[in-house]
Amino acid sequence: MQSDTVSRFANHAGRLAALAVGFTIPISVALDNTLVTIMLIAWIGGGRYLEKLEVTRNNIVCLGALALFSVLVLGAFHGPSTADARQHLLKYLDLAMVPIFAYYFRDPVARRRSEEHTSELQSHSFISYAVFCLKKK
């Protein structure tokens, strides 16, 4: 019973962090990294690993992202300058996060709600930018 409550809380927190990541990317790298860390901790703490594996297995985008990241990892450890390659590999670590995003947005209702929130925020951003430009003139 308590495990189910923790799992639901972790999944809810992870979904909220995944939503927030989309809005913080153009604003702050530090906040983006913090939210991705929260999302990863919530994903690991949420349990249901077989369900998460199944979502990843059934999503071609997840498989493609993981395959590309695997090739990059193999390439990073091949060659004379592996230290530099491993450092550059961190730039592509987001590819490994694709299955986590796919898990959090697997439910059509959750995707529709996130699309509604996204369109609302886009409208607000557009209006704010227009007001900013008008005030500037």
Side-chain angles (χ1 to χ4, degrees):
M1 181 74 167
Q2 187 172 355
S3 175
D4 190 42
T5 304
V6 170
S7 178
R8 275 187 285 153
F9 175 76
N11 284 325
H12 185 69
R15 187 176 295 120
L16 288 176
L19 278 170
V21 164
F23 301 114
T24 62
I25 287 173
I27 298 169
S28 170
V29 173
L31 184 57
D32 177 46
N33 290 339
T34 302
L35 288 169
V36 167
T37 303
I38 291 169
M39 189 178 70
L40 181 61
I41 290 169
W43 189 78
I44 292 170
R48 300 181 183 171
Y49 301 114
L50 291 176
E51 180 183 345
K52 292 173 181 176
L53 181 62
E54 192 65 28
V55 168
T56 302
R57 240 189 270 156
N58 292 331
N59 190 322
I60 190 123
V61 174
C62 292
L63 295 176
L66 290 176
L68 179 58
F69 188 70
S70 299
V71 169
L72 289 169
V73 168
L74 289 174
F77 292 104
H78 178 70
S81 180
T82 59
D84 290 338
R86 280 182 268 152
Q87 202 171 26
H88 292 296
L89 185 63
L90 290 176
K91 292 192 308 187
Y92 299 102
L93 190 58
D94 291 341
L95 286 171
M97 299 303 245
V98 170
I100 298 173
F101 281 104
Y103 176 75
Y104 284 133
F105 297 112
R106 72 194 180 284
D107 182 29
V109 175
R111 281 196 308 268
R112 188 171 48 253
R113 267 189 271 140
S114 67
E115 289 169 2
E116 290 169 1
H117 292 302
T118 302
S119 64
E120 288 172 10
L121 282 169
Q122 286 174 342
S123 299
H124 290 297
S125 298
F126 178 74
I127 291 168
S128 297
Y129 182 71
V131 169
F132 171 76
C133 288
L134 289 173
K135 283 184 177 181
K136 210 173 179 185
K137 288 182 180 181

